[in-house]
């Protein structure tokens, strides 16, 4: 407790921060003359049991990579972005089928012959991405985030079969290195998707179907990989990710698995030596904190400018996961996270279901809870491979909850699409002006439509881009790239009325979190909700 002393206009006190990084929760207690107490928290006055305390994040000041958070991220689902040639799937894992027609829709449901989901491929490749680097540079992109590229049975490749091998349909290690080198020439870096919480059941390590010469954990308790997995009843009942039996969960505290990922010759550092700049961590909130700390040490040992970006869908400063409160921004684990709270709030505000006051309060809550370098490095996504396409969501219907059997053939009406594009223009004004990395999910800039998985994963429509959407996106990203104040300046948010937010970016002495001078004038813009 800290005593408050009267001062002009209120009270003041001095708080001594703890010696180690941690969260501190506080509120104010006022004692009435009759001895009763009232408490002031972030939800106003109330009893101690009803008030919500403010949060103070006491973090260790460790430098965020200089390049991280300044530019624009472009997320690529590798199988669906660009192919160099139609690949031959013969002999490859997963009994794959390949669409000859790039413009086919993805298949909904399991393969009628094999029963496997996500076994249809379009043949996008690393060489295909390399061919489009000039295009990406024209969008002011500085970071490429690739969904998984390692050998796997499915087209999404979150069911890793071999962490040490790039999927042959995507290319080779030499192709990855060339992509990183060519990207670097254009001022871009490459982040890989690290899926370290689980593997595929059809993997070298689990080997459920006996496809590999080595003995997998499913085949024998004496397997060298047996300790990687947790069996409740061998071999058919085992711990898996969210009950999906094709994704057996890994025991991240197993020392052999930890060495496999974290050691000098381990997976994390191996692919950084190939030219990549760090990792986006799938389901980061399901990885033990010790694992995250040691992963950070490993990648920073390999490259002092390496970045770790986590998939955390909630406020990453106080996430409750598996019954424990975890803070990912104390300076010892992640450099930043995917900013899903902003996406939810922004869509709500732009579509008129969340007023400007509530929107500003949500953004300010993140700013209050996050260390400044963390806040300025957030991946501000609008769309992703896990969500319906942005235009569909901005059209105002529940595309992410639609029946899978009905959503595939659905298209926006002309009126819905026109409304969505008007809203998109306001959303881009918002994202261009806020701190953090604006992130484009491949094809959103081309005006792609689609409900949730798998229809948010159509192939990129090369040659059929929507010119209006492309112009809106390109101009917003060019503005962002041309104004340092938008990337690193101080922020002021002000709700003008229920449907209008004013964003002001400006400089003052010591405000720049990245240590570079800000010599351009301040920036101000109004963003409006657009009701149907």
């Amino acid at each position: 407790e800290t005593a408050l002393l009267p001062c002009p206009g209120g009270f003041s006190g001095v708080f001594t921060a703890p010696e180690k990084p941690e969260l501190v929760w506080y509120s104010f207690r006022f004692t009435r003359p009759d001895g009763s107490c009232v408490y002031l928290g972030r939800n106003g006055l109330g009893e101690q049991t009803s008030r919500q305390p403010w949060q103070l994040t006491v973090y260790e000041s460790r430098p965020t990579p200089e390049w991280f958070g300044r530019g624009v991220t472009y997320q690529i689902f590798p199988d669906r972005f660009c192919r160099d040639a139609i690949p031959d799937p013969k002999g490859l894992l997963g009994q794959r089928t390949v669409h000859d027609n790039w413009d086919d829709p993805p298949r909904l449901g399991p393969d009628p012959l094999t029963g496997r989901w996500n076994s249809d491929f379009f043949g996008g490749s690393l060489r295909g991405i390399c061919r489009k680097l000039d295009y990406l540079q024209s969008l002011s992109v500085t970071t490429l985030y690739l969904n998984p590229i390692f050998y796997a049975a499915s087209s999404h490749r979150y069911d890793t079969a071999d962490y040490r091998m790039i999927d042959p349909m995507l290319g080779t290690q030499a192709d990855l290195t060339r992509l990183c080198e060519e990207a670097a020439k254009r001022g871009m870096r490459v982040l890989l998707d690290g899926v370290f919480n689980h593997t595929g059941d059809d993997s070298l390590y689990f080997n459920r179907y006996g496809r590999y010469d080595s003995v997998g954990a499913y085949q024998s308790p004496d397997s060298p990989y047996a300790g990687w997995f947790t069996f409740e009843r061998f071999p058919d009942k085992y711990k898996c990710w969210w009950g999906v039996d094709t994704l057996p969960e890994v025991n991240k505290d197993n020392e052999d698995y930890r060495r496999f990922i974290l050691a000098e010759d381990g997976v994390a550092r191996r692919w950084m030596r190939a030219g990549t700049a760090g990792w986006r961590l799938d389901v980061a909130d399901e990885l033990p904190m010790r694992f995250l700390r040691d992963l950070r040490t490993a990648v920073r040992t390999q490259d002092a400018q390496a970045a770790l970006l986590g998939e955390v869908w909630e406020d990453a400063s106080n996430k409750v996961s598996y019954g424990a409160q975890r803070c990912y921004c104390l300076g010892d684990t992640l450099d930043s996270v995917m900013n899903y709270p902003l996406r939810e709030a922004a869509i709500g505000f732009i579509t008129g279901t969340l007023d400007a006051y509530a929107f500003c309060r949500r953004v300010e809550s993140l700013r209050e809870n996050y260390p400044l370098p963390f806040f300025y490095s957030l991946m501000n996504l609008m769309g992703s491979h896990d969500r319906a396409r942005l235009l569909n969501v901005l059209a105002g219907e529940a595309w992410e909850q639609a029946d899978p059997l009905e959503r595939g053939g659905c298209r926006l009406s002309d009126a819905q699409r026109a409304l969505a594009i008007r809203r998109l223009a306001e959303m881009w004004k918002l994202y261009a002006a806020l701190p953090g990395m604006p992130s484009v999910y491949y094809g959103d800039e081309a005006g792609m439509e689609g409900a949730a998985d798998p229809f948010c994963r159509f192939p990129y429509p090369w040659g059929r881009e929507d010119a209006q959407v492309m112009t809106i996106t390109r101009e917003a990203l060019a503005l962002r790239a041309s104004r340092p104040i938008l990337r690193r300046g101080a922020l002021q948010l002000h709700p003008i009325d229920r449907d209008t937010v004013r964003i002001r970016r400006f400089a003052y002495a010591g405000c720049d979190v990245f240590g570079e001078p800000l010599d351009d004038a301040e920036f101000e813009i109004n963003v409006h909700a657009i009701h149907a």
Side-chain angles (χ1 to χ4, degrees), residues 39 172 190 202-203 270 396:
Y39 294 84
T172 64
V190 177
D202 200 355
S203 67
R270 169 194 176 99

Side-chain angles (χ1 to χ4, degrees), residues 341-354:
L342 174 62
R343 177 186 183 270
E344 179 182 352
I347 291 171
F349 168 62
I350 296 297
T351 59
T353 62
L354 186 73

Side-chain angles (χ1 to χ4, degrees), residues 27 37-53:
S27 59
C37 296
V38 63
Y39 294 84
L40 175 64
R42 59 188 173 91
N43 60 332
L45 291 168
E47 300 297 325
Q48 184 174 12
T49 55
S50 63
R51 61 102 178 101
Q52 298 173 3

Side-chain angles (χ1 to χ4, degrees), residues 213-285:
D213 293 336
S214 61
V215 178
Y218 184 87
Q219 296 166 300
S220 172
D222 297 324
S223 164
Y225 306 110
W228 289 21
F229 304 95
T230 301
F231 288 89
E232 299 173 23
R233 185 181 65 245
F234 184 84
D236 292 318
K237 190 174 182 181
Y238 46 86
K239 191 174 182 180
C240 48
W241 183 73
W242 285 59
V244 180
D245 67 356
T246 58
L247 300 175
E249 188 171 325
V250 176
N251 176 9
K252 281 76 67 178
D253 291 321
N254 177 270
E255 289 302 321
D256 183 61
Y257 179 72
R258 283 170 49 81
R259 282 191 296 271
F260 178 75
I261 300 295
L262 304 172
E264 182 176 357
D265 61 346
V267 169
R269 296 180 63 178
R270 169 194 176 99
W271 293 108
M272 292 187 63
R273 285 193 291 270
T276 62
W279 295 89
R280 176 267 189 188
L281 299 177
D282 183 56
V283 292
D285 52 358

Side-chain angles (χ1 to χ4, degrees), residues 133-350:
L133 287 177
D134 288 343
Y135 162 72
L136 296 172
Q137 185 180 24
S138 77
L139 291 176
S140 306
V141 170
T142 57
T143 301
L144 299 181
Y145 153 42
L146 308 184
N147 288 116
I149 64 171
F150 303 123
Y151 198 29
S154 73
S155 56
H156 58 68
R157 298 186 173 96
Y158 280 94
D159 50 341
T160 311
D162 190 341
Y163 287 102
R164 294 180 178 271
M165 179 181 177
I166 292 175
D167 194 292
M169 282 179 60
L170 289 177
T172 64
Q173 181 168 330
D175 292 325
L176 176 63
T177 297
R178 179 173 176 267
L179 172 61
C180 294
E181 291 173 348
E182 291 297 319
K185 293 176 183 178
R186 296 163 174 83
M188 303 178 199
R189 289 175 170 84
V190 177
L191 286 181
L192 297 185
D193 212 329
V195 188
F196 301 141
N197 179 71
H198 48 266
T199 71
D201 63 340
D202 200 355
S203 67
L204 175 67
Y205 321 105
F206 202 71
N207 205 8
R208 183 177 180 180
Y209 307 103
R211 303 190 201 280
Y212 301 89
D213 293 336
S214 61
V215 178
Y218 184 87
Q219 296 166 300
S220 172
D222 297 324
S223 164
Y225 306 110
W228 289 21
F229 304 95
T230 301
F231 288 89
E232 299 173 23
R233 185 181 65 245
F234 184 84
D236 292 318
K237 190 174 182 181
Y238 46 86
K239 191 174 182 180
C240 48
W241 183 73
W242 285 59
V244 180
D245 67 356
T246 58
L247 300 175
E249 188 171 325
V250 176
N251 176 9
K252 281 76 67 178
D253 291 321
N254 177 270
E255 289 302 321
D256 183 61
Y257 179 72
R258 283 170 49 81
R259 282 191 296 271
F260 178 75
I261 300 295
L262 304 172
E264 182 176 357
D265 61 346
V267 169
R269 296 180 63 178
R270 169 194 176 99
W271 293 108
M272 292 187 63
R273 285 193 291 270
T276 62
W279 295 89
R280 176 267 189 188
L281 299 177
D282 183 56
V283 292
D285 52 358
E286 300 191 29
L287 300 173
M289 299 300 281
R290 174 179 169 233
F291 186 91
L292 288 175
R293 293 186 186 101
D294 292 342
L295 179 59
R296 179 189 178 96
T297 299
V299 299
R300 287 295 179 88
T301 300
Q302 184 63 40
D303 180 355
Q305 287 293 306
L308 284 183
L309 174 73
E311 181 193 15
V312 181
W313 287 54
E314 300 82 10
D315 183 329
S317 70
N318 53 37
K319 168 71 186 279
V320 176
S321 182
Y322 295 95
Q325 189 170 76
R326 302 180 180 186
C327 182
Y328 298 98
C329 54
L330 296 180
D332 59 344
T333 53
L334 303 176
D335 291 297
S336 205
V337 293
M338 301 173 74
N339 198 355
Y340 276 100
L342 174 62
R343 177 186 183 270
E344 179 182 352
I347 291 171
F349 168 62
I350 296 297

